[in-house]
Amino acid sequence: GNSVTQMEGPVTLSEEAFLTINCTYTATGYPSLFWYVQYPGEGLQLLLKATKADDKGSNKGFEATYRKETTSFHLEKGSVQVSDSAVYFCALDSGGSNYKLTFGKGTLLTVNP
Amino acid sequence: GAGVSQTPSNKVTEKGKYVELRCDPISGHTALYWYRQSLGQGPEFLIYFQGTGAADDSGLPNDRFFAVRPEGSVSTLKIQRTERGDSAVYLCASSDEGTVPYNEQFFGPGTRLTVL
């Protein structure tokens, strides 16, 4: 079945540092890949997505590229802010007509001023 | 417009009791999903509705769990004979399957269930 392996946290960075959170996946077919974010006290929100190989998703300064050859979808940001402190989840869908999501365990990011 | 809402936000019950958790999806969204998130884990899929019917219930852990969506809008997740291991945050999401190429799922805030 489908699975997502995500870099374990917690990750603590200083403001303006470079961020990478690793994500690799196992899937049959042609899934879409996602990063979701959960800010303190809030629900899950879609951060970015990529629907096919070599696509790059981007939003709010975050980027991730769908790498089929390495089955990876690593999240990066060049300069993090305190407001980026949150839990980040890598996820994939089942493809086809069923969009149920399979999530990684999540990575807690704390950015200090 | 209004997002996905879930009630109650918190539910504390005793082992062996029956609970119902409610989800109000975004108006017009035809697809509805339930997930369960245990402490320190990512959400795990439970069930997926297309309209009124359960298109995929492969994630329901056992027959104590059941969900309905009788009019294709509001959904209720029902748990019988609750066990301590059922304690988790139950998330609901909805999406508009009329959009292409991808149907974004919008998540509610969740119901935190605690079984004592």
Side-chain angles (χ1 to χ4, degrees):
Chain A
N2 295 346
S3 67
V4 175
T5 302
Q6 184 173 345
M7 172 178 163
E8 294 208 9
V11 174
T12 303
L13 296 173
S14 297
E15 206 164 22
E16 300 184 1
F18 183 84
L19 168 71
T20 300
I21 301 178
N22 290 337
C23 172
T24 58
Y25 68 90
T26 301
T28 54
Y30 303 94
S32 294
L33 302 176
F34 312 93
W35 278 98
Y36 277 82
V37 59
Q38 191 167 33
Y39 297 104
E42 298 185 16
L44 274 171
Q45 301 174 27
L46 178 65
L47 178 61
L48 54 84
K49 68 180 185 292
T51 57
K52 61 183 187 298
D54 299 325
D55 268 4
K56 178 186 282 188
S58 60
N59 186 26
K60 300 182 180 179
F62 291 89
E63 293 184 339
T65 301
Y66 189 162
R67 301 285 188 201
K68 194 168 173 62
E69 63 277 12
T70 54
T71 61
S72 65
F73 193 56
H74 305 321
L75 182 68
E76 296 182 336
K77 186 174 186 182
S79 176
V80 294
Q81 305 301 311
V82 172
S83 57
D84 294 327
S85 298
V87 181
Y88 293 81
F89 294 93
C90 185
L92 58 81
D93 71 12
S94 299
S97 59
N98 184 340
Y99 298 99
K100 68 182 180 184
L101 296 169
T102 299
F103 287 87
K105 291 187 176 182
T107 301
L108 173 62
L109 170 65
T110 302
V111 181
N112 295 318
Chain B
V4 177
S5 62
Q6 293 185 245
T7 55
S9 55
N10 279 285
K11 176 70 177 178
V12 180
T13 191
E14 293 179 345
K15 181 174 177 297
K17 299 290 189 183
Y18 168 83
V19 296
E20 290 189 350
L21 311 179
R22 176 187 168 108
C23 172
D24 273 274
I26 292 172
S27 177
H29 279 190
T30 54
L32 186 145
Y33 301 80
W34 283 99
Y35 296 85
R36 178 169 70 174
Q37 186 174 15
S38 301
L39 192 63
Q41 303 295 315
E44 294 179 309
F45 169 77
L46 295 177
I47 187 169
Y48 158 49
F49 286 91
Q50 279 181 336
T52 60
D56 183 350
D57 65 358
S58 62
L60 295 178
N62 51 58
D63 61 6
R64 294 187 298 105
F65 288 75
F66 189 70
V68 295
R69 194 184 185 201
E71 297 178 358
S73 179
V74 170
S75 176
T76 305
L77 178 65
K78 308 181 181 193
I79 310 174
Q80 299 177 318
R81 304 183 304 280
T82 52
E83 299 178 357
R84 293 195 180 89
D86 299 335
S87 296
V89 176
Y90 289 82
L91 298 171
C92 177
S94 70
S95 70
D96 177 4
E97 293 195 323
T99 58
V100 292
Y102 166 69
N103 303 314
E104 179 179 345
Q105 292 185 32
F106 294 84
F107 282 81
T111 293
R112 182 176 297 279
L113 175 66
T114 303
V115 182
L116 302 177

